[in-house]
Each structure stands twice: as C-alpha cells, then as structure tokens.
Amino acid sequence: MFTKVLIAEDHEMTSISVTKTMRDLGISETEYTYYCDDALMLIKKAIAKGQPFDLLITDLSFEEDHRKQRISGGTELIALAKTLQADLKVLVFSAENKPALVDGLFKDLGIDGYVRKARHDAKDLRAAMETIFLGKTYLSADLKQSVKEKNTFEFTSFDITIISLLSGGTLQKNIPDYLQANHIKPSGLSSVEKRLNVMKEVLGFSKNEQLVAYCKDFGII
Amino acid sequence: MFTKVLIAEDHEMTSISVTKTMRDLGISETEYTYYCDDALMLIKKAIAKGQPFDLLITDLSFEEDHRKQRISGGTELIALAKTLQADLKVLVFSAENKPALVDGLFKDLGIDGYVRKARHDAKDLRAAMETIFLGKTYLSADLKQSVKEKNTFEFTSFDITIISLLSGGTLQKNIPDYLQANHIKPSGLSSVEKRLNVMKEVLGFSKNEQLVAYCKDFGII
DNA sequence: TTCATTCTTACGGTTTCCCGTAAGGAAAGG
DNA sequence: CCTTTCCTTACGGGAAACCGTAAGAATGAA
C-alpha cells in the first residue's frame, strides 16, 4: 500500500473520516491540509527533502474564506502538482456528479481515480486506494454508469464559447463581434446559428434555454 | 448533554465523522441510519419503548438507490418525526447554502439548529449540540453572514414554473396554454412576459438564457 | 354601491431570432 | 491550372420575443 499520502480537503468532517480511513489502511505518513496553496507547498517540501508523496487525495471545490489563496481549486492544484512531480498519483474525492467534468479530469489531467462523495464513499475510497496502488485507474460504480450512458455529442470549445456567451447575456447577433475581437474563427453569425442548430438537433432540443440547462447539468459550462 | 441521539445521513464518510463527534461529546446512545424510512421507524420504536430520542441529526438530501423509500428527504422526515414526538430536538446537517431554504426550516418546521457542511463543520456541530442542549437555536456562522448579505431574489412557484417550461423547450408564447391547462393563474402571455422582466431586472440580466443558467447554479430548477 | 387601486390581459410596433438560399473563399486532388 | 468539395459568410422573409400602452377584471375601502 501507499506509504506517504497528502490529503487536501477543506471540510473538517470529511477530513476526519479520510484520515481515519488512511489509518485503517495502515498508512502511517498522512498529512492533511485545508488549503490548496498549503498542499502545493507540502508537495514541494516533500520533493526537496527527497521524500515525495505517493498519492494526493483532493477535493475539487474549496470554499473561500479569510485566507486568500492563489490556487482556486482542486483542478488547478492537480495541474500544478503534476508539473512538480509527474509520477504523483492523484485521487479526486468530490461530490461532483458530472460525467463530462470527470472525463476531463482523467483525460486532461491524467488523474488515477475518482470517488464521488455519496452513499458508500468510505468503501469506495478504500477500493480506490487499492486499485490505484496496483497501477490501475478507479471510478466510482455509480459514475461508471452515467459515463457509459453519456451522450455521444462532443462539445467543441467553439460550442462552449457560444453557449457561455449566451448564458452570460450576450445577444446572439452580437456574438460575431466577440469572436472577431478574440480572433476566433469562424466568426460569422451564420456559423454561430448553424452550430447552435447542430447542437440542438443532436440533443433533440428546440430552444437555447434547453441547451443552457443541459450544459449546466453536465458541467459543460 | 444529550444522552440519546439519532443520526440520519446517507454518506458513509460523514456518518463516520458524526459518530466520532458524538463519542467525543460523551454521548453513549447513538444510533445511526442511512435511510429516512429507517430513521422514522427507529423514532417510533424508541417512543414505544418509553425511551425516545433527545435529538435527531439529519441531512436534507438523500440519494436514491435500490431500496425504495417512502420518505423522500430530510424535510419530510423532520415533519413526520415532529408529529410523532413534538418535543424532539432537530439539528439539520446539510451542505445546502440557501438562506431562504434554511429560513423555512426554522420557521415552518421549527428546527433547533442548522450546521452547514463546510470548512469548520466539526467544530460547528459540536457548538450546535451544546447550544441546542441549552434550549437555544443554532445557525452556522457562515450562514448568518449570507442571510444578512443576501440579495437573493425570492422565486415564486409561478416563476419556477415559467423557467422550467422554458428550459424544457416550451415556446414562450405557448406557456399560457400550459398555465390554463393546469389552472394556474395568471395565465396571460403578458403576465409571463412581465414576470420574466421582473426577474431579469432584479438579477441584472437581459436574456432568458441567463436566468436558466442562474437557476441551475443555485438549484432552483 | 361607488370609487380607487392593483392585477391581468390584449394589442401593435420594433427588435431579435430562426431558417433557407446563394454567393464567396480556402484546401485538396487531378 | 482548374475543378470539386467543404466551409464560411451574407442576405431576406417569416416567426418569436420584447416593450410600451391601454383596456378590462378583481379586490378592497369608503
């Protein structure tokens, strides 16, 4: 099993339980922190001492408080940690239930496991630790389902830009201005309209409001 | 301190920590359950045995799984529990961060405390237990703030109906048909338009897409 | 009852959105 | 070099949404 684990989790309650789980698994060196900035610092120090962490367990969303943080959340923390220590195993422990988001974590950040805070999360966490230790990746059972049955449609960054602008209040007819200002091509109004039509047709929608609701539900925007 | 406490919480991890907190507080008789139906049954049994619970600590949202439940969530559980045992103290322990909702719990259900799952929730929970035991009510510090600084618009059920229809793909001009069919008044198109305008103005929005995104973000729809 | 206030609805003009068609442009292949 | 194809863009008619106005209905008070 892993010997040196770092836990980044802002909820005191959750942190207590995770720590207990580590103890149950016989992991002696467990450090934990409530802030992303501290987590990165601990990773740095551990590397400097020649005793890097084997595993990082982190939440995704960290709440703001009086202590101003440079790192905004788990996603950014993982990216930065990987630049310092490419072989660091990462296990995300979060309540997020958005397949698209979790997919992105595996694909873009190369995380090793995702356990959702849910009914059987303690068992899940233990199983994840064991699976990851064997060099495999782990995904909570409940999330596997939804990833499988997820929609085939792939949103391009262009799509996401359009929908973000709409949900931000930009008039459809003004979107070309924004696209040109940011050197995004294509930038014609017809191209925007066409892309919106494609998305709506694939997903069986008729209105932009539906698209926005859908993207919010699946964490696309 | 309380002697007999019931915990209703579906997340294994959280349940572990809450149980530990109870032990730290020296509460010997702690029962816990993962389902609302079970919780109500335990309350019933305890009353029947002449040894009712002093305190119920419950989450609000319980996830569905293979076990079908009659009681849908914490709110309903509390209401039913109070009919069985009016003097039962209730402490809600949830991640919900909506002042309006929490307000309603205190006012309509007469709960005694609300602790939000957040950074210092373990400390909060302990403080809440002590405060409630003294016969006072408890509200997490962080929520007190947001209650004060709340600029949250109060969505009526009419508002929510409209936005739900829009995000479901209904054409704005067809909404009156739905309203009439369901005997919702007012039902005129102008009333729908007016209401949408009010919402958008209050929140500083200009487009329906923004409203949908906002309502999704805050769990209103 | 009568009057006043408020809420609801109906109507028209303007803007935006929707959708089909066709023209312009770039890349690939012959 | 030209042609084909695909992508992008421009344009225009019609539908929907937006917005102000005014008429009509409901509520409450004198």
Side-chain angles (χ1 to χ4, degrees), chain A residues 4 9 41 46 49 65 102 139 142 155 165 167 175 202 205 210 220:
Chain A
K4 194 166 174 179
E9 165 67 57
M41 198 195 59
K49 272 201 283 184
D65 68 352
V102 176
L139 185 62
D142 55 339
F155 286 85
L165 286 171
S167 68
I175 291 181
V202 169
F205 294 161
Q210 286 176 287
I220 293 156

Side-chain angles (χ1 to χ4, degrees), chain B residues 13-165:
Chain B
M13 279 289 189
T14 311
S15 187
I16 290 170
S17 306
V18 176
T19 306
K20 185 177 174 301
T21 304
M22 295 303 111
R23 213 172 36 241
D24 292 349
L25 284 168
I27 298 169
S28 50
E29 280 194 78
T30 306
E31 291 205 60
Y32 61 97
T33 170
Y34 295 118
Y35 298 92
C36 290
D37 287 14
D38 292 355
L40 197 70
M41 199 194 57
L42 288 172
I43 291 171
K44 241 180 240 175
K45 275 190 188 172
I47 294 170
K49 271 202 283 183
Q51 296 172 333
F53 286 100
D54 300 321
L55 175 69
L56 165 67
I57 301 178
T58 181
D59 195 355
L60 288 181
S61 59
F62 287 75
E63 227 165 80
E64 290 180 22
D65 68 351
H66 57 283
R67 276 188 59 177
K68 279 195 182 169
Q69 298 290 302
R70 250 196 56 249
I71 305 172
S72 63
T75 308
E76 199 182 342
L77 171 62
I78 295 166
L80 291 170
K82 286 267 182 182
T83 63
L84 294 177
Q85 183 184 341
D87 69 335
L88 177 69
K89 299 277 182 185
V90 176
L91 168 55
V92 174
F93 184 48
S94 164
E96 289 290 350
N97 194 10
K98 296 167 195 158
L101 191 144
V102 176
D103 254 24
L105 292 174
F106 277 98
K107 253 188 280 181
D108 305 335
L109 292 175
I111 67 169
D112 304 278
Y114 187 95
V115 173
R116 191 165 76 83
K117 288 175 181 167
R119 202 175 277 282
H120 303 293
D121 46 8
K123 275 197 230 44
D124 258 358
L125 190 65
R126 237 169 270 140
M129 298 280 293
E130 285 157 8
T131 308
I132 295 173
F133 186 66
L134 296 175
K136 291 186 275 188
T137 62
Y138 185 90
L139 184 60
S140 306
D142 55 339
L143 243 148
K144 271 186 202 155
Q145 275 189 337
S146 49
V147 167
K148 272 178 201 160
E149 72 191 32
K150 81 164 180 174
N151 48 356
T152 48
F153 178 73
E154 192 81 19
F155 286 86
T156 68
S157 74
F158 185 67
D159 298 337
I160 295 170
T161 302
I162 293 175
I163 298 175
S164 298
L165 286 171

Side-chain angles (χ1 to χ4, degrees), chain A residues 207-214, chain B residues 166-169 172 208-209 212:
Chain A
K207 304 210 17 164
N208 288 344
E209 283 92 334
Q210 286 176 287
L211 261 182
V212 171
Y214 178 89
Chain B
L166 283 178
S167 68
Q172 195 165 305
N208 288 342
E209 284 92 333
V212 171

Side-chain angles (χ1 to χ4, degrees), chain A:
Chain A
M1 184 44 70
F2 296 107
T3 52
K4 194 166 174 179
V5 175
L6 175 62
I7 299 163
E9 165 67 57
D10 61 343
H11 286 30
E12 203 182 347
M13 279 288 190
T14 311
S15 187
I16 290 170
S17 305
V18 175
T19 306
K20 184 177 176 301
T21 304
M22 296 302 111
R23 213 171 37 239
D24 292 350
L25 284 167
I27 297 169
S28 49
E29 280 195 77
T30 307
E31 292 205 60
Y32 61 97
T33 171
Y34 295 118
Y35 298 93
C36 289
D37 287 13
D38 291 353
L40 197 70
M41 198 195 59
L42 287 172
I43 292 171
K44 239 181 242 174
K45 275 190 186 170
I47 295 170
K49 272 201 283 184
Q51 297 172 333
F53 287 100
D54 301 320
L55 175 70
L56 165 67
I57 301 177
T58 180
D59 195 355
L60 288 181
S61 58
F62 288 75
E63 227 165 80
E64 289 180 23
D65 68 352
H66 58 281
R67 275 188 59 177
K68 279 197 182 171
Q69 299 290 301
R70 250 196 54 249
I71 305 172
S72 63
T75 309
E76 198 182 342
L77 170 62
I78 295 167
L80 291 169
K82 286 266 181 183
T83 64
L84 294 177
Q85 184 183 342
D87 69 335
L88 178 70
K89 299 278 183 184
V90 176
L91 168 54
V92 175
F93 184 48
S94 164
E96 290 289 350
N97 193 10
K98 295 166 188 164
L101 192 143
V102 176
D103 249 29
L105 292 174
F106 277 98
K107 253 190 280 182
D108 305 335
L109 292 176
I111 67 169
D112 303 279
Y114 188 95
V115 173
R116 190 165 77 83
K117 288 174 181 167
R119 203 174 275 283
H120 304 293
D121 47 8
K123 276 196 227 45
D124 258 357
L125 189 65
R126 236 171 269 138
M129 298 280 293
E130 284 156 10
T131 308
I132 294 172
F133 186 65
L134 297 174
K136 292 186 275 190
T137 61
Y138 185 90
L139 185 62
S140 305
D142 55 339
L143 248 149
K144 265 187 206 158
Q145 279 187 337
S146 44
V147 168
K148 270 181 199 159
E149 69 195 34
K150 77 161 183 173
N151 261 292
T152 51
F153 185 73
E154 283 271 338
F155 286 85
T156 67
S157 73
F158 185 68
D159 298 337
I160 295 169
T161 302
I162 294 175
I163 298 174
S164 297
L165 286 171
L166 284 177
S167 68
T170 308
L171 243 40
Q172 195 164 306
K173 68 166 183 129
N174 293 335
I175 291 181
D177 303 342
Y178 174 91
L179 295 174
Q180 280 190 335
N182 292 73
H183 311 101
I184 298 171
K185 288 204 313 195
S187 67
L189 181 57
S190 291
S191 294
V192 173
E193 291 171 342
K194 184 193 160 191
R195 203 59 210 156
L196 281 168
N197 279 334
V198 169
M199 288 190 270
K200 282 186 278 193
E201 190 184 346
V202 169
L203 297 168
F205 294 161
S206 57
K207 304 210 17 164
N208 288 344
E209 283 92 334
Q210 286 176 287
L211 261 182
V212 171
Y214 178 89
C215 289
K216 278 287 176 191
D217 278 340
F218 289 94
I220 293 156
I221 57 170

